[in-house]
């Protein structure tokens, strides 16, 4: 099988690494790829909006699978364009939904209406378009703080504002609806009920009929220690997540994953590929915060090393509509991923600093994101530079191994959250507590 992987971040490095292990693989191409993916596949520069050139490439290289890492190309209709191209008919399978299905991520309003229609637990909401500022402000008067205000469209993970103060919330709504904040993405706003709980990222893969749950992970979104400071793309991940035990994941399967796949079918929305369900655990009950139509970054770097099954076998299951016959086999050890970021991220940061020490990492996987190869020098080129994933026989061991390995890598401005996973470690006082007296 010849595969084209779209993307160039840490998620795609982990995907390329995993795909390259498949006995079903002949050639892997990654567009644009990064200095990490070149070890697993050839980098190619493809303009996805140039259908003629893309078609010529797919035919010349006999690509049968296109895996789309980020949501952008899916929301832009890449899958639809490939499916409508007569010259590619029956030759290429896209792993990722069509434009309509991608609206689950591309429009929060669409996603909320979908969940409402199919009885999928999520925060109560109202949405308001341009010209409805007055109604939106009146709605804020009726609800309790904290206020959750979301731009409807894609806003690079920054379109959610949570405020305690009603005036402040009103200002944000006004800025979105009338002030152009988040551009077109903010021309419609969703105001929703605040969910108080712990977040979890659940993942599944589907051919539209059958679906298989993939390992779940916890992401650390804030930049600062103790979940403080601004939101980022993600500063680390842990998989599995101790509180997402069998009973909880069964609820996620039965009340959220299964009705979502059934709902898509019922609505006549063909959907294949990955689905990332951002969840809030509220008193042991799962609620959907958001859908993403892709895998997460850095969650992928924690979950793919745990996946024992062949990823291409699962993709083949999608291509042939036989996913129900394929197996997802998971390593039960804990994987911890820490992101090595750049000082200043998620705002401005410097680039072009040499990175050293990668070859010293022996007990972890290193995935590259914001890096560039400059001659024989690897240099920083992004806000999130690298991620390091380590296994451990328990969570504490995995945390220590990941931090030890991350410490071996050096560059100017390196920033790591030192507390990834620590919130999930049982308090030493309970762990070492004497056994309860026998009555
Ligand atoms: P989203 O882009 O929808 O994932 O939202 C970004 C972040 O905002 C989430 O990861 C949550 O931490 C937070 N968030 C979103 N919606 C809610 C909600 N209804 N209640 C509480 N926190 C939320
Ligand atoms: N880590 C969260 C995301 O990929 O959206």
């Amino acid at each position: 099988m010849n595969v084209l992987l779209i993307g160039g971040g840490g998620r795609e490095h982990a995907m390329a690494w995993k795909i390259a292990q498949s006995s079903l693989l002949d050639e892997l191409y990654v567009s644009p790829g990064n200095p990490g993916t070149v070890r697993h596949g050839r980098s190619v520069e493809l303009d996805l909006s140039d259908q003629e050139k893309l078609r010529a490439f797919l035919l010349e290289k006999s690509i049968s699978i296109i895996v789309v890492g980020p949501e952008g190309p899916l929301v832009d209709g890449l899958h639809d364009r490939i499916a409508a191209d007569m010259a590619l008919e029956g030759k290429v399978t896209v792993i990722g939904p069509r434009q309509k299905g991608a609206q689950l991520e591309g429009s929060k309003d669409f996603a909320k209406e979908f969940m409402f229609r199919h009885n999928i637990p999520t925060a109560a909401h109202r949405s308001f378009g341009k010209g409805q500022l007055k109604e939106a402000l009146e709605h804020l008067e009726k609800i309790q703080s904290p206020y959750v205000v979301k731009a409807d469209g894609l806003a690079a993970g920054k379109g959610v504002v949570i405020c305690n103060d009603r005036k402040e919330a009103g200002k944000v709504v006004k800025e979105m609806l009338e002030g152009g904040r988040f551009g077109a993405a903010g021309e419609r706003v969703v105001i929703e009920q605040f969910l108080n709980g712990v977040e979890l990222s659940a993942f599944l893969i589907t051919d539209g009929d059958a679906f298989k749950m993939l390992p779940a992970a916890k992401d650390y979104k804030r930049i600062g220690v103790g979940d403080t400071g601004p939101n980022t793309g993600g500063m680390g991940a842990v998989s599995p997540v101790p509180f997402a035990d069998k009973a909880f994941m069964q609820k996620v399967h039965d009340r959220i994953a299964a009705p979502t796949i059934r709902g898509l079918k019922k609505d006549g929305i063909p959907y294949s590929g990955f689905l990332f369900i951002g969840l809030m655990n509220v008193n042991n009950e799962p609620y959907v915060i958001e859908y993403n139509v892709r895998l997460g970054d850095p969650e992928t770097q924690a979950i793919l090393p745990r996946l024992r099954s062949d990823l291409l076998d699962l993709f083949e299951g999608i291509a042939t509509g036989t996913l129900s016959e394929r197996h997802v086999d998971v390593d039960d050890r804990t994987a911890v991923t820490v992101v090595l970021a750049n000082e200043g991220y998620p705002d401005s940061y410097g680039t072009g600093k040499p990175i050293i020490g990668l070859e010293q990492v022996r007990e972890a996987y290193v995935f590259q994101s914001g890096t560039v190869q400059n001659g024989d020098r690897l240099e920083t080129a992004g806000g999130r530079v690298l991620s390091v994933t380590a296994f451990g026989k328990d969570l504490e061991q995995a945390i220590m191994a990941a931090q030890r390995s991350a410490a071996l890598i050096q560059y100017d401005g390196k920033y790591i959250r030192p507390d990834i996973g620590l919130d999930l470690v049982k308090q030493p006082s309970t762990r070492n507590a004497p056994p309860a007296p026998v009555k």
Side-chain angles (χ1 to χ4, degrees):
M1 237 189 272
N2 293 342
V3 177
L4 170 64
L5 169 64
I6 309 289
R11 166 182 52 209
E12 288 78 22
H13 185 177
M15 291 171 99
W17 165 81
K18 181 69 187 163
I19 291 169
Q21 292 166 35
S22 171
S23 57
L24 300 169
L25 181 73
D26 293 308
E27 286 281 351
L28 173 63
Y29 298 88
V30 192
S31 175
N34 70 34
T37 64
V38 296
R39 290 209 222 152
H40 313 293
R42 287 166 209 246
S43 292
V44 283
E45 284 286 342
L46 293 171
D47 174 358
L48 300 177
S49 63
D50 187 338
Q51 184 66 17
E52 243 167 70
K53 285 210 179 110
L54 179 61
R55 177 197 307 125
F57 175 83
L58 297 172
L59 292 173
E60 186 200 323
K61 303 296 185 193
S62 305
I63 303 289
S64 58
I65 301 273
I66 304 179
V67 194
V68 187
E71 67 283 3
L74 297 167
V75 175
D76 282 349
L78 175 67
H79 188 151
D80 308 69
R81 289 196 297 278
I82 300 283
D85 194 321
M86 306 280 272
L88 300 174
E89 205 181 326
K91 293 194 169 86
V92 186
T93 299
V94 180
I95 307 298
R98 293 175 187 237
Q99 197 161 29
K100 185 81 190 172
Q103 286 297 95
L104 280 184
E105 175 165 1
S107 165
K108 297 209 185 284
D109 189 31
F110 176 91
K112 296 297 286 193
E113 292 297 324
F114 175 86
M115 287 183 262
F116 184 70
R117 216 166 33 247
H118 300 292
N119 249 323
I120 295 166
T122 186
H125 82 290
R126 288 275 311 271
S127 91
F128 303 91
K130 264 195 142 161
Q132 288 184 296
L133 177 63
K134 191 164 157 280
E135 288 91 327
L137 296 179
E138 281 168 8
H139 179 65
L140 287 175
E141 301 271 334
K142 290 188 214 133
I143 59 172
Q144 302 283 319
S145 103
Y147 305 96
V148 181
V149 180
K150 301 185 173 188
D152 176 56
L154 291 182
K158 302 209 168 103
V160 177
V161 184
I162 299 178
C163 1
N164 287 313
D165 183 66
R166 184 182 298 150
K167 262 204 184 137
E168 188 63 27
K171 219 174 98 193
V172 171
V173 170
K174 187 162 187 225
E175 281 168 9
M176 287 194 195
L177 286 181
E178 293 187 346
R181 183 162 172 188
F182 305 118
E187 286 176 4
R188 175 162 281 281
V189 301
V190 172
I191 299 178
E192 64 179 48
Q193 168 201 10
F194 180 79
L195 296 173
N196 196 5
V198 196
E199 286 184 64
L200 173 77
S201 306
F203 299 94
L204 61 82
I205 185 166
T206 179
D207 59 8
D209 270 314
F211 70 90
K212 304 271 178 190
M213 296 303 294
L214 297 172
K218 182 173 191 279
D219 179 21
Y220 291 77
K221 286 215 170 78
R222 304 290 196 95
I223 189 74
V225 175
D227 289 329
T228 53
N231 258 327
T232 69
M235 292 300 295
V238 172
S239 178
V241 187
F243 67 76
D245 56 14
K246 247 191 158 145
F248 185 80
M249 289 313 291
Q250 193 64 45
K251 289 182 192 170
V252 174
H253 177 282
D254 298 349
R255 297 182 198 168
I256 294 169
T260 298
I261 301 303
R262 265 201 313 272
L264 286 164
K265 252 186 111 167
K266 218 167 166 180
D267 291 352
I269 302 171
Y271 193 105
S272 60
F274 296 105
L275 183 67
F276 163 168
I277 311 172
L279 296 168
M280 191 73 89
N281 176 346
V282 183
N283 297 326
N284 245 344
E285 303 298 328
Y287 287 81
V288 179
I289 297 177
E290 62 164 354
Y291 288 114
N292 295 306
V293 298
R294 51 174 174 83
L295 290 179
D297 189 337
E299 290 97 322
T300 305
Q301 293 91 306
I303 67 173
L304 287 188
R306 294 189 59 221
L307 185 67
R308 285 219 191 94
S309 315
D310 182 339
L311 200 50
L312 276 194
D313 178 62
L314 298 177
F315 293 166
E316 200 179 58
I318 292 179
T320 53
T322 57
L323 189 67
S324 63
E325 296 160 23
R326 317 282 163 144
H327 294 286
V328 169
D329 185 20
V330 175
D331 188 330
D332 27 286
R333 283 178 303 163
T334 295
V336 170
T337 301
V338 297
V339 168
L340 289 77
N342 220 331
E343 224 160 51
Y345 173 76
D347 298 321
S348 57
Y349 46 81
T351 56
K353 303 285 193 260
I355 304 169
I356 56 166
L358 260 66
E359 68 294 339
Q360 290 185 40
V361 178
R362 303 243 185 273
E363 57 170 353
Y365 303 108
V366 181
F367 298 112
Q368 303 196 24
S369 323
T371 59
V372 69
Q373 193 71 44
N374 187 356
D376 55 8
R377 242 170 66 159
L378 186 68
E379 294 178 352
T380 60
R384 292 189 293 173
V385 180
L386 301 157
S387 51
V388 164
T389 300
F391 274 117
K393 71 173 184 340
D394 61 21
L395 177 57
E396 255 175 310
Q397 298 287 333
I399 291 170
M400 286 194 289
Q403 293 287 353
R404 250 192 331 262
S405 299
L408 298 171
I409 300 171
Q410 296 302 333
Y411 54 85
D412 242 23
K414 182 174 89 166
Y415 171 76
I416 299 173
R417 254 185 76 168
D419 61 336
I420 301 299
L422 290 182
D423 56 318
L424 301 173
V425 176
K426 288 202 193 86
Q427 294 302 317
S429 57
T430 50
R431 219 157 56 108
N432 299 329
V438 183
K439 285 189 188 140

